[in-house]
Amino acid sequence: MNEILSRAETLYQKPLMDLLFEAHQVHRTHHDPHEIQRCTLLSIKTGGCPENCSYCPQSAHYETGLDRHGLLDLGEVKAAVQNAKSNGAQRFCMGAAWRSIKDGPEFDQVIDMVKMVKGAEMEACVTLGMLTDSQAQRLKEAGLDAYNHNLDTSREYYSKIIQTRTYDDRLNTLKSVRKAGISVCCGGIIGMGESPKDRCALLAELACLDPQPESVPINMLIPVEGTPLAESQAIDPLELVRTIAVARILMPKSRVRLSAGRVSLSKEAQVLAFFAGANSIFLGEKLLTRPNPAPDADEALLESLRSGPRLDGPVAAALA
Ligand code: SAM
Ligand code: DTB
Ligand code: SF4
């Protein structure tokens, strides 16, 4: 761990052009730099969560004015899956504001949702809080591809953000996911008042998981009124770009996801994040409960990565 941590810190402090150059080289060695995976999120159970994560609008500890709702029925989820698929999403991610999964009819319903997403020939990912070995096994049997469970920040900073569960609780759930043969999706949030050292420590924790997570979401805090982090200072987008670049170098094969917070990023900052190694975004107007860029803005963003304008048209001819 110490070796990886000092490597992360050395990388994070590099001159930006050197860091970007190295990250992009690693990116090209392991990924097609033109391919950005499109994912869609759906909150299948919203709000009323017993955990006290300081960033989260869904925690029952804070008054955030959120419309709570119980578990969606299969028909509602099916409509969202069809819609996501017709909008070109390849992966469908479902999130529930639970501390942990309870066996019973609701878990059975989630199992049916996973089977339905697989029936639509999409990658299926869920995030349902803590889970046991046998629950992970059932999700695997239903065809689940990935389970999202974030470490969120460094071990040191974690207790400032969440007090209702420990870092090791998180790591234990990740072990159950791995044991069941499900891909691990695990990342964190930046912009919660953590230091660059904490960001490096988070990336080192992730990179030390063995095997490394297949998927690493990097979220920028969306400050939510009513939560303890409502007044957090916005982070410089170049710090996000550095975080992504270090993630890419330390975890060369993982899919690094430019996740929450894109609404406050310019097109250019997002393009830089792709250059640094991010290769996935969430599409659609809403994440779980917070806004995401409008679909036409995202179309323009992805279009800007394709070929430049043709130079042999009428203008070029007139100049000849
Ligand atoms: N309850 C489950 C859990 O915590 O694992 C799943 C849902 S939870 C909303 C999924 C992730 O969303 C969190 O781990 C956190 O990284 C991210 N998240 C939640 N609120 C956020 C916010 N305001 N800004 C950025 N990311 C956020
Ligand atoms: C993750 O790391 N980011 C996504 C996904 N995993 C589930 C969720 C972002 C949630 C942003 C806040 C909201 O919409 O409530
Ligand atoms: Fe929000 Fe998940 Fe924390 Fe619950 S466990 S408060 S849903 S981040």
Side-chain angles (χ1 to χ4, degrees):
M1 170 73 188
N2 283 344
E3 209 175 293
I4 306 260
L5 178 57
S6 63
R7 188 158 171 237
E9 291 178 349
T10 306
L11 287 167
Y12 199 94
Q13 295 173 83
K14 276 193 166 203
L16 185 60
M17 293 302 131
D18 295 345
L19 175 59
L20 283 175
F21 184 62
E22 185 173 340
H24 192 66
Q25 276 179 316
V26 172
H27 189 50
R28 275 188 179 253
T29 307
H30 297 275
H31 303 267
D32 173 356
H34 307 290
E35 194 252 344
I36 308 285
Q37 190 183 46
R38 297 154 176 251
C39 312
T40 294
L41 272 171
L42 177 68
S43 181
I44 54 170
K45 185 267 173 187
T46 305
C49 180
E51 301 274 13
N52 74 346
C53 311
S54 303
Y55 48 78
C56 187
Q58 303 203 62
S59 166
H61 295 255
Y62 319 122
E63 204 45 68
T64 62
L66 186 75
D67 278 339
R68 296 183 181 181
H69 68 69
L71 191 61
L72 297 182
D73 65 40
L74 195 60
E76 291 170 294
V77 179
K78 193 166 188 174
V81 170
Q82 298 305 343
N83 189 37
K85 198 174 158 109
S86 63
N87 289 330
Q90 293 135 336
R91 180 164 166 122
F92 195 80
C93 312
M94 297 178 282
W98 284 325
R99 177 171 202 269
S100 55
I101 308 175
K102 283 169 201 48
D103 289 314
E106 293 206 314
F107 186 43
D108 297 346
Q109 208 167 312
V110 173
I111 292 288
D112 289 341
M113 292 175 189
V114 170
K115 289 182 180 158
M116 187 265 294
V117 174
K118 292 314 294 173
E121 293 179 348
M122 292 175 86
E123 282 182 26
C125 177
V126 293
T127 175
L128 313 168
M130 294 188 265
L131 87 184
T132 62
D133 282 355
S134 65
Q135 292 168 333
Q137 197 52 50
R138 271 194 76 197
L139 287 165
K140 173 71 185 172
E141 282 156 17
L144 186 72
D145 295 288
Y147 196 87
N148 168 244
H149 202 65
N150 293 337
L151 289 178
D152 282 339
T153 189
S154 68
R155 189 181 270 278
E156 293 69 32
Y157 199 63
Y158 187 87
S159 60
K160 300 226 168 23
I161 301 295
I162 303 152
Q163 291 82 34
T164 50
R165 53 160 201 254
T166 66
Y167 216 63
D168 288 320
D169 289 335
R170 293 303 263 187
L171 289 167
N172 281 336
T173 289
L174 292 170
K175 269 191 203 137
S176 301
V177 170
R178 205 30 107 196
K179 202 146 97 190
I182 299 170
S183 276
V184 168
C185 173
C186 183
I189 310 181
I190 65 169
M192 301 192 292
E194 77 288 344
S195 65
K197 233 177 163 38
D198 289 307
R199 277 170 227 147
C200 292
L202 165 66
L203 295 175
E205 287 281 354
L206 296 170
C208 283
L209 293 174
D210 185 17
Q212 294 185 333
E214 286 77 5
S215 161
V216 179
I218 304 290
N219 298 280
M220 262 203 335
L221 177 73
I222 303 179
V224 179
E225 212 172 308
T227 63
L229 295 180
E231 302 303 325
S232 296
Q233 275 257 268
I235 193 170
D236 180 341
L238 293 179
E239 295 287 311
L240 168 74
V241 168
R242 279 186 189 274
T243 305
I244 287 174
V246 176
R248 167 51 65 231
I249 297 167
L250 295 184
M251 294 171 277
K253 296 196 182 130
S254 308
R255 197 176 275 278
V256 176
R257 302 185 190 273
L258 177 58
S259 301
R262 288 195 302 113
V263 271
S264 59
L265 290 177
S266 67
K267 183 167 89 170
E268 293 77 6
Q270 295 180 68
V271 167
L272 214 47
F274 297 141
F275 187 79
N279 55 359
S280 157
I281 55 172
F282 288 113
L283 291 181
E285 310 244 351
K286 206 153 75 157
L287 293 160
L288 290 172
T289 71
R290 297 299 112 183
N292 200 38
D296 54 348
D298 277 345
E299 237 0 280
L301 169 69
L302 296 175
E303 183 58 36
S304 68
L305 301 178
R306 299 188 187 114
S307 305
R310 286 180 61 110
L311 300 181
D312 56 356
V315 176
L319 291 173

